[in-house]
Amino acid sequence: MRMEAAALVPAYNEAETIADVVRGVLPFVSQVLVVDDGSTDGTGNHARAAGACVIAHQSNQGKGAAVRTGLDHLLRRDLTHVVFLDGDLQHLPQETPRLLDAARETEADVVIGERRFDRARMPASRYHTNRIGSRALSWFVGVPVRDTQCGFRVFRVEALRRMCLSATGYEIETEMLVKLRRLGGRIASAPVTAVYNGRQSKLRPVRDTTRTCFLAVYYRFLQRL
């Protein structure tokens, strides 16, 4: 399989880590696109200095909006795959080849990073909402997915072009999986490291997971493709 991949990194106030993310993933892709979602700390400048192409929102619009802005740009290029990862180093960019190799071997439409959660090392609220949320969301997706909310994933461009996305927040990851399965797409996974770097996550575990579950009903049963 010919593979030509670009990385898409939505980022909001990630000046401390964004350069490491860009430099870490750049050896494995043809381009790194950072969508600076209204940052006020110089995130875009740090990303650009590290070698990324940067698109900036004038104000913070949400992760889903940043992903959709990035896809509007990347889907015009002659790519086969898009690597998605976050800008806060909660994914290890050097593990990108694991996902790309799995995409090549399985020819799946998406390969999701599957984290192994250590109950002793993470807040109880995050641990339980990840486990319960993934079980619930797997039902809406239609296949078992052990880590539905992992943002570290590789999508085939052909599959992305078939989806009309509307999410503005963290629920973008669930919307993509639900709509992919409704279109008959194939899902695979590859193990990745769960990173705990002491930084506070922007995700509000209970509130955001609950909201995502409600929206999954909409994406699965009500919204037209």
Side-chain angles (χ1 to χ4, degrees):
M1 180 197 300
R2 180 186 79 89
M3 293 192 76
E4 181 77 15
L8 173 53
V9 186
Y12 174 60
N13 286 344
E14 304 291 2
E16 293 182 17
T17 55
I18 192 65
D20 289 334
V21 172
V22 171
R23 286 192 291 261
V25 73
L26 193 54
F28 312 115
V29 295
S30 62
Q31 177 188 0
V32 179
L33 175 63
V34 171
V35 180
D36 179 0
D37 188 30
S39 298
T40 57
D41 65 349
T43 291
N45 292 333
H46 287 281
R48 196 174 289 107
C53 173
V54 177
I55 297 174
H57 288 167
Q58 293 302 307
S59 60
N60 181 240
Q61 299 178 33
K63 182 177 183 178
V67 167
R68 291 191 288 115
T69 293
L71 288 177
D72 284 344
H73 176 83
L74 290 177
L75 295 185
R76 300 175 194 152
R77 297 191 52 207
D78 183 24
L79 299 169
T80 62
H81 293 79
V82 176
V83 180
F84 296 84
L85 70 164
D86 294 336
D88 57 3
L89 275 182
Q90 293 210 12
H91 312 133
L92 299 180
Q94 61 266 33
E95 293 183 343
T96 300
R98 293 186 188 180
L99 301 183
L100 291 173
D101 288 346
R104 181 183 294 108
E105 292 165 8
T106 66
E107 298 188 3
D109 294 290
V110 62
V111 176
I112 304 172
E114 186 176 299
R115 298 166 291 182
R116 293 291 187 267
F117 296 113
D118 185 346
R119 173 66 185 86
R121 296 180 57 203
M122 66 187 300
S125 60
R126 288 187 62 190
Y127 176 79
H128 291 298
T129 52
N130 269 294
R131 286 176 58 86
I132 296 170
S134 287
R135 288 180 183 177
L137 293 170
S138 288
W139 187 84
F140 293 112
V141 172
V143 294
V145 181
R146 294 187 61 178
D147 192 2
T148 58
Q149 294 172 300
C150 182
F152 197 11
R153 50 183 67 183
V154 173
F155 259 94
R156 281 166 50 98
V157 164
E158 289 179 8
L160 290 169
R161 287 192 174 122
R162 297 172 64 200
M163 288 188 286
C164 181
L165 301 173
S166 60
T168 58
Y170 289 101
E171 69 276 6
I172 186 76
E173 284 141 3
T174 297
E175 181 186 20
M176 293 170 81
L177 294 184
V178 170
K179 290 185 174 178
L180 176 68
R181 283 296 299 158
R182 287 181 64 186
L183 290 165
R186 294 169 296 161
I187 299 174
S189 64
V192 296
T193 303
V195 179
Y196 311 102
N197 54 21
R199 300 182 68 201
Q200 184 175 2
S201 173
K202 294 184 178 72
L203 179 70
R204 298 160 296 184
V206 176
R207 179 176 175 179
D208 288 335
T209 300
T210 301
R211 180 174 185 269
T212 296
C213 287
F214 278 111
L215 284 168
V217 176
Y218 175 65
Y219 300 139
R220 177 69 176 84
F221 299 109
L222 302 175
Q223 190 177 47
R224 296 178 63 182
L225 290 174

